[in-house]
Amino acid sequence: MYLIQFIFFLTFIFSGNETVEHSQNEIHIRINQLGYLPSDTKVAVVFSKIPVKENFQLVNQSTGKVALEIKPERLQTNEWGGFLYWEADFSQVIEPGAYFLQGKKSKTQSSVFPIGEGTYTGQQESLLEFMRQQRCGYNPTLDMVCHAKDGRTFFGPMADSTYVDLSGGWHDAGDQLKYLITSSYATAHMLMAYELYPDRFEDMVNALGQSGPNGIADVLDEAKWGLDWILKMHPAPDQLFHQVADDRDHRGFKIPNKDNADYGWGANSYRAAYFATGKPQGLMKYQSEATGVANLAGRSAAALALAARIWEKDLKDPEFAGTCRKAAISLYQMGRKQEGYQQGNSYGAPYRYNEETWADDMEWAAAELYKTTKDKTYLEQAKNYAVLSNTADSWTVKDSASHYQLYPFINMGHFALHGVVDADFQKTLEGYYLDGIKYTLKRAQQNPFHVGVPFIWCSNNLLTSLATQVILYEKMSGDKQFEPFLKAQRDWLFGRNPWGTSMFTKMPEGGEYPVEVHTAPYVLLDMQVPGGLVDGPVYTSIYNNLLGLRLLKPDVFAQFQNEHVVYHDDVGDYSTNEPTMDGTAGSILMMTHFSR
């Protein structure tokens, strides 16, 4: 993940980080461009370098009539970038339509946005469109076959360079690596989203991702692409691979079927396949830290146990369900025997996935296996793992973490377990989620946009995970007091942020969204695929210390960058503007929740 495109930089004409002078009197309005449900909390953020002394009007675009006049409320929070901030609350407006906000005197206008019950209907399908772009093997977006020779093994019980078929799966981000770390979560997340909202997904493509229905919800077609690869990564009861390729991939942007990376067998040929040993690994000087395999085995087992139920009951496919059930049980047993975590491997650079948690994954696996098999042994083990993981393993009660150290960014095991335990233990599980929500809410009260995440690398992934945690907590407890907080996290992702941009590619159509993303399809083919969640803003201190990072065009958001956080819609910024497979998949439950 995160290409360092030195070769590309050498061939690109660098135009500098130019800025444009702006008036001190400018007023900026930030709203959720995708829109609002009638029942939503609806709050715009207004900011300026000087005091704002006017009311704001909510105008119905089609009639030109003022639906509401609002006196903005001054916010006494951290003044990011030297701006003064106000809120304009229009929650009372529920009449469907297209609206915009404007200053009564200045006539400063927001972009047009909808209010209505169907605002989010089908929006999760755009995220699946991006997932199809990430497919390895047959890629339906590019209509090509790539990386058919994945891969040749290292660190396994077989001799190094032994061939094993690990084709398929997803490219991780703007690069073309494949990780079980992220793919296992993406697969399990999609399956849980389907299990919660089975009637909200559409059937527009076949199993290969080609246009045309096949009688199966597209989210299940996409999840099966992940399941098939997980099954390949677990070729025997005591064997598990965790990664295909490494940062030798980072040789500039390239179309997947013309991969110029050389792993010792020539360009566009075999790639390294890393066996999960539960011990530190690395073919060069950079060694991972690893203590076991339970994180990968547990998450993969959870995905397969979920799949076993869905394919048996909903798709009436007992053969594939049986395959998944058998693999889930053997993977879980691997995790029991090798408790601990396996990290990602790097080769020539220091960046890798630093996951250090595993009890949450084993809790999730045990809970799903109990629901699939009804074996009470799994239930008792799930409860033990829940207590072992509790809140301490979550970024939601910490102000910082290493890259992917506390992955996945939400413990789905607590929700999976909640429905099958007694009332007292249910309260315990709800408390784990509640502690994290309260801690992030306290952080959110210190900034004008009420965002609860620390701006470490992949902050948008944290943010969608936080939104998912609030949603699942509400389902577990019935407690809806955090609805305004939930909507603030969602709204940040669609434009209620300093830069006024959505964080999903081509969402909404016609809005402000990431265009110059750090991906080969955009750079080489000028292709814009909707639904990809970019990494998101990072602390300025992180941005200033990353290797090989340089903006390639004038910064269109220069006046909104500040000493706290930065975001750039620029191909050169791999830290904030690279869309990721797992971040996108991890947003599907949130998007489906708001779909009506």
Side-chain angles (χ1 to χ4, degrees):
M1 188 176 180
Y2 311 116
L3 302 170
I4 304 177
Q5 305 289 2
F6 293 112
I7 295 175
F8 178 74
F9 291 153
L10 292 175
T11 61
F12 199 101
I13 299 175
F14 177 58
S15 57
N17 186 15
E18 301 171 11
T19 58
V20 179
E21 292 298 322
H22 297 274
S23 167
Q24 290 287 94
N25 297 327
E26 277 190 302
I27 297 172
H28 309 282
I29 305 171
R30 298 294 187 249
I31 47 82
N32 177 340
Q33 300 174 92
L34 198 60
Y36 303 86
L37 298 170
S39 60
D40 280 348
T41 302
K42 311 175 194 74
V43 182
V45 174
V46 177
F47 58 99
S48 177
K49 291 286 187 179
I50 63 172
V52 173
K53 299 179 180 179
E54 64 175 327
N55 287 351
F56 286 80
Q57 298 171 321
L58 183 68
V59 181
N60 186 305
Q61 185 194 33
S62 61
T63 66
K65 292 183 179 179
V66 175
L68 183 68
E69 186 166 318
I70 311 154
K71 182 179 181 180
E73 180 180 348
R74 176 79 165 89
L75 293 173
Q76 303 299 321
T77 53
N78 190 332
E79 296 175 356
W80 290 3
F83 288 102
L84 307 174
Y85 291 87
W86 289 259
E87 283 186 344
D89 191 327
F90 53 101
S91 300
Q92 69 190 73
V93 177
I94 62 174
E95 184 69 24
Y99 296 87
F100 61 87
L101 278 166
Q102 69 175 14
K104 186 175 183 180
K105 292 187 295 184
S106 67
K107 301 303 180 184
T108 300
Q109 289 188 7
S110 74
S111 57
V112 177
F113 57 88
I115 296 176
E117 286 292 349
T119 297
Y120 288 86
T121 300
Q123 295 289 352
Q124 65 273 9
E125 304 301 322
S126 293
L127 277 59
L128 292 173
E129 192 168 345
F130 177 79
M131 293 298 293
R132 291 191 285 273
Q133 176 198 266
Q134 297 300 108
R135 286 193 183 188
C136 188
Y138 175 68
N139 187 299
T141 305
L142 301 172
D143 192 26
M144 63 176 58
V145 176
C146 66
H147 301 115
K149 294 184 177 181
D150 287 347
R152 290 193 177 271
T153 66
F154 290 92
F155 300 106
M158 63 290 290
D160 279 357
S161 300
T162 298
Y163 172 75
V164 59
D165 178 14
L166 300 179
S167 58
W170 295 290
H171 300 143
D172 197 54
D175 52 28
Q176 294 170 21
L177 285 74
K178 300 188 295 190
Y179 294 95
L180 190 58
I181 285 176
T182 50
S183 296
S184 56
Y185 173 67
T187 304
H189 183 107
M190 286 189 283
L191 292 170
M192 182 178 278
Y194 171 81
E195 198 169 55
L196 285 172
Y197 307 106
D199 299 328
R200 296 190 185 180
F201 290 97
E202 298 178 17
D203 175 20
M204 297 184 291
V205 302
N206 63 21
L208 290 175
Q210 300 163 322
S211 182
N214 64 344
I216 298 173
D218 294 339
V219 70
L220 295 183
D221 286 323
E222 204 57 38
K224 190 172 186 299
W225 196 261
L227 291 166
D228 288 342
W229 191 66
I230 292 172
L231 290 169
K232 285 186 174 183
M233 298 287 276
H234 181 50
D238 60 348
Q239 294 182 11
L240 182 64
F241 290 89
H242 71 94
Q243 180 177 323
V244 176
D246 52 45
D247 51 72
R248 282 174 283 186
D249 167 274
H250 300 349
R251 294 175 55 83
F253 293 107
K254 63 270 182 99
I255 301 303
N257 68 338
K258 298 179 181 178
D259 191 341
N260 59 6
D262 186 344
Y263 293 83
W265 298 277
N268 202 27
S269 185
Y270 301 104
R271 301 196 295 176
Y274 291 101
F275 190 89
T277 60
K279 298 177 181 178
Q281 293 182 357
L283 294 175
M284 297 292 280
K285 69 175 181 177
Y286 297 109
Q287 298 286 305
S288 68
E289 298 174 1
T291 61
V293 303
N295 58 330
L296 304 183
R299 263 198 314 277
S300 299
L304 289 159
L306 273 160
R309 293 200 303 275
I310 293 168
W311 261 260
E312 174 110 29
K313 296 176 183 177
D314 293 7
L315 300 186
K316 311 302 180 186
D317 185 348
E319 183 177 354
F320 186 69
T323 298
C324 291
R325 184 183 299 106
K326 181 179 178 181
I329 292 170
S330 64
L331 278 163
Y332 181 74
Q333 291 306 317
M334 281 191 73
R336 292 282 291 175
K337 291 175 182 177
Q338 299 181 70
E339 292 183 338
Y341 52 84
Q342 181 83 52
Q343 296 186 341
N345 288 2
S346 61
Y347 185 83
Y351 303 134
R352 67 173 188 273
Y353 288 131
N354 295 305
E355 184 175 5
E356 292 184 357
T357 57
W358 57 271
D360 55 337
D361 304 300
M362 292 296 286
E363 175 193 358
W364 193 2
E368 299 295 359
L369 277 166
Y370 170 68
K371 289 192 283 189
T372 300
T373 67
K374 305 305 179 186
D375 183 340
K376 290 187 177 181
T377 303
Y378 293 123
L379 179 60
E380 293 307 310
Q381 291 171 351
K383 292 167 69 174
N384 291 335
Y385 283 127
V387 174
L388 187 61
S389 65
N390 62 60
T391 311
D393 284 349
S394 173
W395 65 267
T396 58
V397 293
K398 293 178 172 59
D399 293 317
S400 188
S402 298
H403 187 47
Y404 276 56
Q405 178 184 359
L406 301 172
Y407 190 76
F409 302 121
I410 173 175
N411 182 347
M412 303 285 249
H414 291 334
F415 179 77
L417 182 58
H418 184 269
V420 293
V421 295
D422 60 56
D424 287 343
F425 206 84
Q426 284 183 334
K427 288 296 182 184
T428 297
L429 295 171
E430 291 165 21
Y432 293 154
Y433 274 173
L434 183 60
D435 287 347
I437 294 168
K438 285 183 175 179
Y439 190 94
T440 55
L441 180 60
K442 183 177 179 181
R443 180 189 291 112
Q445 292 167 343
Q446 300 169 9
N447 67 72
F449 296 94
H450 301 301
V451 174
V453 305
F455 292 100
I456 57 178
W457 213 343
C458 289
S459 64
N460 280 344
N461 294 20
L462 303 185
L463 202 143
T464 60
S465 294
L466 174 57
T468 300
Q469 184 159 319
V470 177
I471 290 167
L472 296 183
Y473 170 74
E474 287 182 354
K475 289 182 178 296
M476 292 158 68
S477 67
D479 180 0
K480 304 235 181 234
Q481 66 172 304
F482 300 108
E483 276 288 313
F485 183 43
L486 167 62
K487 304 299 170 53
Q489 311 315 296
R490 179 202 66 188
D491 294 351
W492 168 277
L493 291 168
F494 291 107
R496 204 187 82 150
N497 54 57
W499 312 275
T501 180
S502 166
M503 295 293 171
F504 289 90
T505 55
K506 295 198 75 174
M507 295 180 70
E509 189 73 48
E512 176 69 44
Y513 52 72
V515 173
E516 302 201 20
V517 292
H518 192 86
T519 65
Y522 170 72
V523 172
L524 300 180
L525 302 175
D526 197 27
M527 180 181 290
Q528 295 185 38
V529 177
L533 178 68
V534 298
D535 290 324
V538 296
Y539 289 125
T540 304
S541 57
I542 291 177
Y543 174 80
N544 289 337
N545 285 285
L546 289 171
L547 301 175
L549 194 156
R550 183 171 68 173
L551 301 189
L552 305 181
K553 289 188 177 181
D555 182 5
V556 296
F557 296 133
Q559 66 171 320
F560 305 118
Q561 312 297 4
N562 59 67
E563 72 288 348
H564 189 60
V565 290
V566 296
Y567 166 77
H568 305 99
D569 185 8
D570 191 295
V571 169
D573 190 350
Y574 63 83
S575 69
T576 72
N577 210 41
E578 183 176 7
T580 67
M581 174 274 298
D582 67 307
T584 301
S587 308
I588 289 174
L589 192 153
M590 176 195 75
M591 291 295 290
T592 312
H593 170 77
F594 291 115
S595 177
R596 297 287 190 266

